[in-house]
Amino acid sequence: MKTTTTLYRFQIELSDVQRSVYDTLDFRVAQHPSETPAYMLTRIIAFALNSGANLSFSPSGLSDPDSPAMSSPDDMGGVKLWIEIGNPSARKLHKAAKAAKSVRVYTYKNAENLLSEILREKVFRASEIEIFSLSDKFLSEVTLSLERDNRWGLLFNDGVITIQVGDRSYCGELSRHL
């Protein structure tokens, strides 16, 4: 039996106090059959926390392992921001660091494993790659409220993400790893 892609709509009232960004985001995300809810929610949160400056999801989605999960172009046609989700390989991060001015990884997995692989494999500009993690517990809680049409309030302040869905509120820390 063939599984299909599921399309989700997100309308997010974003209050990103860290960046002084207050915006309404309205977009659709296709969940690939092999994509876990934790991966997809990490993509959504990363997109919201980096919104603006022509940020877009990779047009090929998960089917192209060499493309970023999302990126933002610079004024010269290059890549200003390259964002990865999960635990990308050191090889991919090496390529990303050479191609983009800034590289960020948002993971829901063990960030220490990723950090040790980056150091072991001698990734280009490894010290400049920003790595953030979300807790599995937080993502599991948000997953329970996931619907095909989602209306969220997302507040980001002092490293804490609060997602308001109807009368429910979910809080989780966005940890930064150096």
Side-chain angles (χ1 to χ4, degrees):
M1 181 176 190
K2 184 178 178 183
T3 55
T4 59
T5 299
T6 304
L7 188 63
Y8 291 91
R9 180 179 184 195
F10 287 88
Q11 293 175 301
I12 300 175
E13 292 297 325
L14 175 66
S15 297
D16 185 340
V17 179
Q18 304 299 115
R19 297 185 300 146
S20 297
V21 172
Y22 305 92
D23 200 0
T24 300
L25 308 175
D26 190 347
F27 57 95
R28 287 165 178 74
V29 173
Q31 182 182 19
H32 189 274
S34 67
E35 185 177 13
T36 66
Y39 186 99
M40 185 182 77
L41 288 172
T42 303
R43 275 198 306 141
I44 301 308
I45 292 168
F47 183 81
L49 296 180
N50 291 278
S51 64
N54 298 317
L55 183 69
S56 63
F57 293 104
S58 175
S60 57
L62 298 176
S63 61
D64 183 359
D66 290 328
S67 294
M70 59 194 85
S71 62
S72 179
D74 67 13
D75 295 335
M76 305 299 284
V79 180
K80 179 180 176 182
L81 175 61
W82 180 307
I83 298 176
E84 286 299 329
I85 306 298
N87 277 15
S89 69
R91 181 193 66 77
K92 188 170 186 180
L93 291 175
H94 182 75
K95 175 185 173 184
K98 285 188 167 191
K101 291 182 172 103
S102 179
V103 178
R104 294 183 185 144
V105 177
Y106 290 82
T107 188
Y108 53 94
K109 298 182 177 185
N110 184 337
E112 297 306 317
N113 290 344
L114 178 60
L115 288 166
S116 65
E117 181 182 354
I118 289 170
L119 294 175
R120 186 175 59 251
E121 298 295 326
K122 298 180 183 169
V123 172
F124 183 71
R125 291 181 23 225
S127 63
E128 297 174 34
I129 297 173
E130 297 176 274
I131 299 174
F132 302 93
S133 64
L134 295 162
S135 78
D136 185 51
K137 181 180 183 288
F138 171 64
L139 294 172
S140 295
E141 290 173 351
V142 176
T143 297
L144 297 175
S145 71
L146 194 60
E147 297 181 9
R148 298 288 292 272
D149 191 7
N150 299 276
R151 296 177 195 281
W152 290 1
L154 191 153
L155 169 67
F156 181 56
N157 189 23
D158 289 332
V160 176
I161 297 170
T162 304
I163 296 177
Q164 184 74 35
V165 182
D167 61 351
R168 294 186 195 134
S169 184
Y170 308 96
C171 290
E173 186 176 341
L174 181 68
S175 301
R176 184 173 181 166
H177 305 271
L178 302 175

